[in-house]
Amino acid sequence: MNILFVASECAPFVKTGGLADVIGSVPKALEALGHTVKVLLPAYPALKQWIKHGDVELELEDLFGGPARIVSVRAKGINLLLLEADHLFDRGGSIYLDEEGYDWEDNALRFGALCLLGAKIGLDGVGGWKSNVINAHDWQAGLVPVYLQQSGRKAPPVVMTIHNIAFQGLFDGEIRETLGLTEGLYTPDGFEFWGHVGFLKGGIALADKITTVSPTYATELLTPEYGMGLEGLLRSRQTDLVGILNGIDLDTWNPEDDPSLVNTYSPRSLNRREANRIYLEQHFGIEPSEDAPLFCVISRLTTQKGLDLLLDSIPTIIKRGARLIVLGSGERHMEENYLAMAKRFPGSVGVKIGYDEELSHKMQGGSDAILMPSRFEPCGLSQMFGLRYGTIPVVARTGGLADTVIDANAAAITSKCATGIQFTPVTVEALDRAIHRTCDLFKDTKIWKTMIRKAMAQEVGWNSSAEVYANLFKELTKE
Ligand code: ADP
Ligand code: GLC
């Protein structure tokens, strides 16, 4: 089967979060099952170097104000279809935000262009290749089924995947005409959302199937608490909505063969983790300790991630003699608050503001536990990296966190199946209790080691989920 992915990020080329990890890893898993996947991705500056190795498949004189090309290239094991349109994508700042940290003013056109080309490739193919099915990811790809439907032509079916419903791609209704969208589908059943053009709204309304990235999030999305205004629409499409748990790339994230680690290790050589921990203590200026864990956070610093709550729980970490290291960037006040904590608790709290892929691997390879007190978490990948690296996840019981971590309650400890600590509700008090439980478990070396081994043995790759996607695609392509 030929599958076209349309997405705005893809690791290792361009990444702001877990979406990129997923787009960079599912295609390989689907290829292993015998399918061909091509990923349509904007040619941001980071992708430019690949253009010269590729083949120009399509040229357009004008795509929303400038020329554009589609260049196909196989890069790092992934078939990329790069949308080169310099007036839209060749600029500094981040892929979504300008240098001042605001959304690019023309984001509707930038990602509208991505959707338009996704639809065009779906309809006409590219370089002789035609897709049997299209998988559109997040709001940036939400208009693909809208353009397809507007064409009135026979088109491949579309699966819309929601990675995070908090980001919906809402724009002033006036942009509709510039995007080349007619009034026909600009209705509550189409891509109109309270007088706005809704990219994700349109995708959910008009795709053939909708997936999201964990079974629990699929049920949460139907409630006002999590659905963020789209719960009604999602309820109306409930029979077409399915939660498929993400996996992680087991080659990129492999403690037995990770070039970023001071020491690689396996479940049989856990003592080799010590050198990794010592590195982290030195790097973050943290005092060593034998009898309390080293907690880490690797995250966007946002309220979604509940990291404002963790600020209030730091005194509990300190009281227990535990330590905390933080790598992240995000909301400015949160960054400042974490830096202030590092100042207030020198030797116990270390903070690095920024994005650092290599350090994130080192932290997974040397910390004892990873904290994720998320208010909502569609899937979450960091807890899965944690499982794979034997860094015990301490997580809020929500979304994919609920689906991937087995809480160390009495029964789970007795039957030796616990892989982490879950807590609910998402409050400072519950988080405090989870920190206490983690510190208690850590002191019981036998239980702790059993948990680590169980965590490291947990299946977190793409094998089973890739098959679920493939079956869904097959079901849709049956005439
Ligand atoms: P989300 O996509 O909501 O941010 P996920 O847990 O799905 O959350 O994925 C986050 C990804 O981003 C993981 O690969 C994680 O390691 C990475 N990450 C987040 N913050 C940083 C950072 N500051 N430095 C390096 N990697 C980071
Ligand atoms: C989003 C979600 C995260 C998920 C990722 C990949 O960024 O916030 O929970 O893991 O997408 O699907």
Side-chain angles (χ1 to χ4, degrees):
M1 197 170 16
N2 288 344
I3 306 155
L4 174 67
F5 272 37
V6 182
S8 57
E9 303 184 20
C10 179
F13 310 105
V14 58
K15 165 167 166 177
T16 73
L19 170 66
D21 293 298
V22 172
I23 304 301
S25 52
V26 204
K28 292 178 193 163
L30 285 166
E31 274 193 14
L33 295 175
H35 306 293
T36 302
V37 182
K38 298 200 183 217
V39 181
L40 176 65
L41 186 73
Y44 309 108
L47 268 312
K48 281 288 194 179
Q49 53 169 310
W50 293 101
I51 298 261
K52 54 180 178 291
H53 303 290
D55 299 316
V56 178
E57 306 284 7
L58 183 73
E59 290 188 90
L60 299 176
E61 261 173 42
D62 179 56
L63 178 66
F64 301 146
R69 301 194 298 175
I70 296 285
V71 176
S72 72
V73 63
R74 182 146 176 109
K76 304 201 177 192
I78 304 177
N79 300 317
L80 297 176
L81 293 171
L82 295 174
L83 170 54
E84 190 184 38
D86 289 350
H87 59 297
L88 301 172
F89 302 118
D90 189 17
R91 49 179 83 166
S94 92
I95 60 175
Y96 307 125
L97 310 175
D98 64 18
E99 280 89 350
E100 258 94 67
Y102 295 103
D103 287 346
W104 287 111
E105 263 188 23
D106 56 350
N107 269 351
L109 292 185
R110 298 172 75 225
F111 297 107
L114 180 70
C115 297
L116 182 61
L117 266 292
K120 184 169 173 47
I121 292 169
L123 289 167
D124 302 329
V126 68
W129 182 86
K130 286 202 102 176
S131 62
N132 305 106
V133 59
I134 303 177
N135 192 179
H137 293 269
D138 264 354
W139 75 262
Q140 294 87 352
L143 293 184
V144 171
V146 179
Y147 282 117
L148 285 176
Q149 195 148 323
Q150 181 171 297
S151 77
R153 292 171 55 191
K154 185 170 164 14
V158 180
V159 174
M160 179 79 232
T161 299
I162 305 169
H163 293 263
N164 191 338
I165 208 155
F167 303 106
Q168 299 186 358
L170 284 179
F171 301 94
D172 264 3
E174 285 160 20
I175 199 76
R176 178 183 61 74
E177 270 180 70
T178 321
L179 285 169
L181 293 168
T182 57
E183 257 177 311
L185 296 169
Y186 190 59
T187 65
D189 295 332
F191 65 95
E192 188 262 351
F193 191 62
W194 303 107
H196 287 71
V197 168
F199 274 53
L200 187 61
K201 162 80 196 298
I204 294 173
L206 300 178
D208 297 87
K209 287 274 179 196
I210 304 141
T211 68
T212 189
V213 289
S214 71
T216 295
Y217 194 56
T219 55
E220 288 172 343
L221 279 176
L222 304 175
T223 66
E225 197 186 346
Y226 293 92
M228 307 213 173
L230 291 174
E231 62 277 6
L233 173 64
L234 282 164
R235 274 202 301 274
S236 75
R237 299 224 50 196
Q238 197 169 346
T239 49
D240 292 319
L241 170 67
V242 40
I244 306 175
L245 194 65
N246 282 336
I248 60 168
D249 186 325
L250 299 180
D251 296 328
T252 311
W253 294 92
N254 179 5
E256 295 186 35
D257 178 34
D258 185 335
S260 303
L261 300 184
V262 177
N263 260 358
T264 55
Y265 59 93
S266 76
R268 290 165 305 284
S269 58
L270 290 175
N271 53 342
R272 286 177 55 81
R273 284 184 112 249
E274 192 175 336
N276 299 336
R277 201 193 60 229
I278 292 170
Y279 172 88
L280 293 173
E281 287 166 348
Q282 287 169 353
H283 185 85
F284 281 93
I286 295 291
E287 296 294 331
S289 159
E290 284 298 310
D291 33 56
L294 175 63
F295 288 100
C296 76
V297 167
I298 304 159
S299 182
R300 294 187 282 122
L301 300 179
T302 64
T303 38
Q304 173 197 337
K305 302 292 179 182
L307 292 170
D308 47 327
L309 304 174
L310 179 60
L311 284 165
D312 290 336
S313 287
I314 289 179
T316 307
I317 293 178
I318 305 296
K319 238 182 271 158
R320 292 298 304 242
R323 288 90 30 82
L324 171 68
I325 54 177
V326 177
L327 167 63
S329 61
E331 293 164 13
R332 190 159 303 163
H333 65 99
M334 197 103 78
E335 293 181 353
E336 286 165 3
N337 288 340
Y338 272 99
L339 287 171
M341 282 295 177
K343 265 203 175 149
R344 186 167 150 207
F345 299 111
S348 297
V349 177
V351 174
K352 178 165 176 199
I353 300 300
Y355 190 91
D356 188 334
E357 196 76 27
E358 186 177 334
L359 183 58
S360 78
H361 282 246
K362 287 189 156 72
M363 289 168 77
Q364 293 281 10
S367 308
D368 297 303
I370 180 159
L371 284 161
M372 296 180 73
S374 307
R375 290 196 167 81
F376 67 94
E377 193 63 78
C379 180
L381 300 179
S382 295
Q383 83 282 10
M384 292 205 255
F385 303 146
L387 291 167
R388 177 114 167 113
Y389 279 63
T391 303
I392 296 298
V394 181
V395 303
R397 185 175 301 149
T398 182
L401 300 176
D403 292 337
T404 50
V405 175
I406 301 172
D407 179 58
N409 57 40
I413 289 175
T414 311
S415 56
K416 298 192 169 56
C417 65
T419 60
I421 287 96
Q422 291 191 345
F423 65 92
T424 187
V426 190
T427 59
V428 176
E429 294 71 30
L431 175 55
D432 279 346
R433 282 195 296 276
I435 290 166
H436 280 301
R437 281 175 64 207
T438 310
C439 293
D440 292 344
L441 287 164
F442 181 82
K443 280 194 156 181
D444 193 323
T445 317
K446 214 170 144 207
I447 293 181
W448 189 255
K449 281 225 165 109
T450 307
M451 279 175 69
I452 293 179
R453 295 211 172 91
K454 191 72 200 169
M456 290 179 82
Q458 192 165 315
E459 168 64 58
V460 285
W462 272 108
N463 276 357
S464 49
S465 292
E467 236 167 86
V468 182
Y469 272 108
N471 288 338
L472 180 75
F473 296 150
K474 272 186 214 149
E475 188 192 315
L476 279 174
T477 48
K478 265 192 224 135
E479 290 291 312

